[in-house]
Structure formats: C-alpha cells, structure tokens
Amino acid sequence: MYIGIDVGGTSIKAGIVDYKGNILYKDTIGTRASLGYEAVREDMITLINKAIQYSKQENYRIDSIGIGVPGIADPQSDNVIYCTNLNWKDAPLGKDLKSRYGLPIYIDNDATVAAIAESVKGITKGSENSVFLTLGTGVGGGIIINRKVYSGTHNKGSEIGHMIIGENFYDCNCGNNGCLETFASATAIVRYTQKLIDEGFLDEEFMEALRSKDGVMDTKFIFDMAKKNNELALKSIDRMVKYLSIGIGNFINILNPDIIAIGGGVSKAGKYLIEKINREFINYVIFKEGSTTEIKLSQLGNDAGIIGAALISEYK
Ligand SMILES: [Zn+2]
C-alpha cells in the first residue's frame, strides 16, 4: 500500500492506495497557501498521521509516500524547487518527511502524477507508451515510455507546454515565444478571441450571447458558441485545434505513442474537441499510413492526484 498526497492551491487530498490504484481511504483539508511552506507541511503531516493510524487499524503495510505538487521537484534531494501557486522556493519537503516517517518519499509534478494515474487506472491503462496533455490555465503533461515516466536526465524534460509550435502574438510566461501553452491553454483561447474582437472582428451573434452572460468570456462559452457554428468562436477554436494538432503530430513523429490523452478544463469540450483534433492532426504525421496513435479524453477526475502520487514509485 502507498500513501498518496495531492497538494493543490485550494485543498490537500490524501489517500491510501493499493498497487492497482484503488483508493482504500481518503481525507482532505484546505490549503493554507498564504501561510507559507511550514503551515502547509504541518497540514500534510496531520493528514499523513491520520492515514498511518488508519493503516495500522486495518493492518495495511505502507511502502512509501508519494506527493504531487503544482511545481517542480528535484528527484535527487526531493526538495520542491518551486511552486508558484503556493509561494514555495527550495522547500525541503522530502527531507522533512523522510526524517519524520522513515519511509521513502517521492515527489513529482501534478501533471506527471495525473499521467501516472491515467496509466494505472484511466484511459492509458495497459498502454506501453503514452502522452498525457492537460489543457488548463497553462498546458502541462507527462510522457510515459515503456511504462515509466520520462522526465529527462535532470528531471527538467517533459515540459510539454513549452514545446515551441510557431510564432504567436504574445510571449509565454517562460520568456519564449510560440510555446504550445500560448496556443492551446484556456488562457490562450480567451486571449486570441479577445484579440479578434479588439481588432474589429464584428460578430453580433457572439457579442449578443456574451452580453447575456454578463460579458464573462471563458473557454466553455467560446466552445459552446463554436458548437453552434458561430463564426468568431469557430475561428478561435479552429486555430487552437490547428496548433494543438501540430504539437500532437510532433509527439507522434518523435515518440510514436499508443495513445495521447487530453485532460484539464479545456477537455470538458469533450467529443467535439476530440473529433476536431482527429480531423486535423494526421496532417502533421510523417507516416500517415498505418498510424495507430489514438487521441482520447482522459478518464479520471478528482482522484487522479491521489492515485498518481501514491504510485510514483512504481513509475520511476
Ligand atoms: Zn513557454
């Protein structure tokens, strides 16, 4: 059995998970992010203590503790190098927990952890090689090769959101121009739609619908309008699909995976998005004949963080 912890901006979730990815115990607590690293670590310790107590009652043997964080961890020291949302920098999380519990501690990025969860219990289960893309505020993901997570020599690879796809009208947070994240994230879709409006793309139908939504333009609204064949929304969504498909084509040409899974908030557009990608990505694939890579929606919801974190050790 493993303990898995999913540290998010609003809540910390913990669970006891078996090697098949079944959750046997679950608990959650709010994230006191504004109080800094020590406060969040103490809350994690409270959750872990309760989980260990439960495991003793049930005679479960805990082999390791895995933690998914919204940031970057150093696998050598198990320090969290940084977590922007939580205001952590060089937080000695691995060291602090190891000295307390004497168990192996594994820490990884939350998108990598979600890729592991999908591979254990979700859409990429049984697949040797897969790519998981999460399209949210940014773009993240994980690459699994021969059923192991691929993160590169110094754990600094697999920065999927920063694969450069083409020239774009605004720079990425990382400082480069043209990153996938600036074409295919929720932020990117809204920014490009707003740019079209600012440049005078007149679409009364779109503006009327937007007014009835109190002017709140999010990706759900833009997708809903595109599904009704609205011209402005379609222009924005089709551009996003084009660049996302270029990224997908790159993955297929380089890695030849069985499945590319799409998750995150933008994936709520569902079948509509997948069908559009399926019409487009093949244009960017070198070996079109016999190309078998499937593009699918991710399957796991809220529990993915706990399951994936618990099983990091199995995928290292
Ligand atoms: Zn970037």
Side-chain angles (χ1 to χ4, degrees), residues 41 43 49-50 110 126 139 151 155 169 176 188 193 210 261-262 277 281 289 293 308:
R41 182 197 60 200
D43 289 343
N49 288 347
K50 282 165 75 182
D110 52 6
V139 170
S151 304
N155 207 36
F169 68 96
N176 277 331
T193 311
L210 188 59
I262 314 275
I277 297 169
F281 80 87
E289 296 278 317
T293 305

Side-chain angles (χ1 to χ4, degrees), residues 55-98:
S55 71
K56 281 182 181 153
Q57 273 170 35
E58 301 292 319
N59 276 324
Y60 296 155
R61 202 193 72 191
I62 302 296
D63 294 309
S64 65
I65 301 172
I67 302 157
V69 295
I72 294 181
D74 171 9
Q76 258 80 50
S77 66
D78 268 330
N79 281 356
V80 177
I81 299 168
Y82 70 80
C83 267
T84 321
N85 294 345
L86 299 173
N87 267 323
W88 292 5
K89 208 173 173 293
D90 294 321
L93 184 62
K95 191 171 136 266
D96 288 355
L97 296 181
K98 215 172 281 171

Side-chain angles (χ1 to χ4, degrees), residues 162 172 174 179:
H162 303 284
C172 184
C174 74
C179 295

Side-chain angles (χ1 to χ4, degrees), residues 193-205:
T193 311
Q194 188 61 52
K195 175 182 146 73
L196 291 175
I197 295 169
D198 294 345
E199 287 174 354
F201 191 113
L202 274 177
D203 191 320
E204 247 331 293
E205 182 192 36

Side-chain angles (χ1 to χ4, degrees), residues 159 161-164 171-182:
E159 283 296 330
H162 303 284
M163 168 167 55
I164 294 173
D171 288 342
C172 184
N173 288 333
C174 74
N176 277 331
N177 184 279
C179 295
L180 179 61
E181 179 163 305
T182 65

